[in-house]
Amino acid sequence: MIKVVIIGSGNVAQHLFNEFYTNELVVVLQVAGRNPDTLKPFAKKVAVTTDLHQMAEADIYIIAVNDDSIQAVSESIPSKNAIVVHTSGSMPMNLLSNHEYFGVFYPLQTLSENREVNLRESPICLEANTSMALQQLEVLATSISNHVYKVDSEQRCKLHLAAVFVNNFTNHLYHIGYRICQENNLDFEMLIPLIRETSQKIDSVSPNEAQTGPARRGDQGTIAAHLDQLDNSDYKAIYSVLSKSIQNTYGKEL
């Protein structure tokens, strides 16, 4: 059995806890965090603590906190013969170099509160400072995912950047579309089949081949009409920048 302590109580911590809690190869000894209120859901199933200096002895400590807090949390973990990892996509592994064994355990997935995600089909990216630590992390990762990759800090940073474009920015565009529908008494549900087809299409064709729309076709009149309809200056700027990028990609300048 791999003994694990999870440090943090946010979305990543909650999803990893749910996966490990029912895992036959893993035992979650404790969840640690500074906010007793956010620890309450965990306290129903496992020991919790708000004192990072009073954590149980484990094989692996998983730091699942916001990026700016990782180093401070790492320094709060007593030096032990254990592996300390963080779950960030953008922070370097060496933030944890005050420990003998350290690494990264990065689930490449959007994780939201109260929404189940199939981590078994989600990539987990690993990095470690020793081969022994990496082997242990591989055992842990393959116990919850079929897609485990060795990715160094530089590659992971680029991967996280790409993920922001395909996930965070895309979701914000959904939000803009939702607002436009709301403001014009339209049902956003009418756009759901389009969203699904757009995401599913890249299973069979590249994003470059899948691109459609007025900017791809060079329909200047349609682009001008769309811009004229947008009262929100941020939305107008986003539309302009994306249209220009698409047209530059396909050789049609605005």
Side-chain angles (χ1 to χ4, degrees):
M1 298 287 284
I2 301 175
K3 294 180 288 186
V4 168
V5 167
I6 297 174
I7 306 166
S9 56
N11 292 336
V12 175
Q14 290 171 3
H15 281 273
L16 289 180
F17 174 81
N18 291 339
E19 293 292 331
F20 292 141
Y21 185 72
T22 57
N23 192 313
E24 294 181 353
L25 293 178
V26 180
V27 55
V28 181
L29 298 179
Q30 191 180 54
V31 176
R34 295 193 176 102
N35 188 336
D37 291 332
T38 59
L39 290 174
K40 287 179 180 178
F42 301 100
K44 298 175 182 178
K45 297 179 178 180
V46 70
V48 300
T49 183
T50 57
D51 187 346
L52 299 185
H53 297 285
Q54 296 296 323
M55 288 185 290
E57 292 201 22
D59 300 313
I60 300 176
Y61 292 84
I62 301 175
I63 301 175
V65 300
N66 66 72
D67 289 354
D68 291 341
S69 300
I70 290 173
Q71 191 162 18
V73 169
S74 173
E75 292 170 355
S76 298
I77 300 173
S79 297
K80 299 177 180 179
N81 189 28
I83 304 168
V84 179
V85 300
H86 69 64
T87 59
S88 171
S90 59
M91 303 306 286
M93 176 181 71
N94 286 338
L95 276 182
L96 310 178
S97 60
N98 55 306
H99 299 280
E100 184 174 359
Y101 305 107
F102 57 94
V104 177
F105 191 95
Y106 170 50
L108 180 55
Q109 186 54 272
T110 175
L111 301 173
S112 299
E113 187 177 6
N114 299 322
R115 178 171 175 79
E116 291 187 11
V117 170
N118 184 8
L119 281 183
R120 177 58 63 185
E121 296 304 319
S122 302
I124 294 181
C125 302
L126 303 178
E127 186 179 11
N129 71 317
T130 71
S131 58
M132 180 280 294
L134 184 61
Q135 289 173 3
Q136 188 81 328
L137 293 179
E138 285 177 331
V139 173
L140 184 66
T142 55
S143 75
I144 62 172
S145 173
N146 294 332
H147 307 281
V148 177
Y149 299 88
K150 300 174 186 176
V151 180
D152 65 34
S153 288
E154 184 176 356
Q155 291 174 315
R156 179 166 36 81
C157 188
K158 299 298 185 184
L159 186 62
H160 187 260
L161 173 61
V164 167
F165 273 94
V166 304
N167 173 241
N168 305 131
F169 289 167
T170 300
N171 189 72
H172 185 63
L173 297 180
Y174 294 161
H175 165 75
I176 293 173
Y178 185 87
R179 288 291 302 274
I180 291 172
C181 286
Q182 273 191 323
E183 292 166 1
N184 292 277
N185 297 314
L186 293 165
D187 190 347
F188 181 74
E189 290 292 322
M190 289 191 289
L191 294 175
I192 299 298
L194 174 63
I195 292 171
R196 287 179 177 151
E197 172 60 17
T198 301
S199 65
Q200 292 170 3
K201 186 161 51 174
I202 58 172
D203 285 339
S204 56
V205 298
S206 71
N208 183 276
E209 296 172 304
Q211 186 69 56
T212 61
R216 174 66 179 89
R217 296 188 299 269
D219 292 339
Q220 305 297 341
T222 300
I223 292 171
H226 283 171
L227 288 170
D228 189 56
Q229 294 174 55
L230 289 168
D231 296 325
N232 185 299
S233 60
D234 286 342
Y235 297 175
K236 190 185 292 281
I238 290 169
Y239 187 102
S240 295
V241 167
L242 289 178
S243 293
K244 182 176 181 180
S245 179
I246 291 169
Q247 295 206 350
N248 287 343
T249 298
Y250 296 95
K252 296 181 177 69
E253 294 184 2
L254 282 171

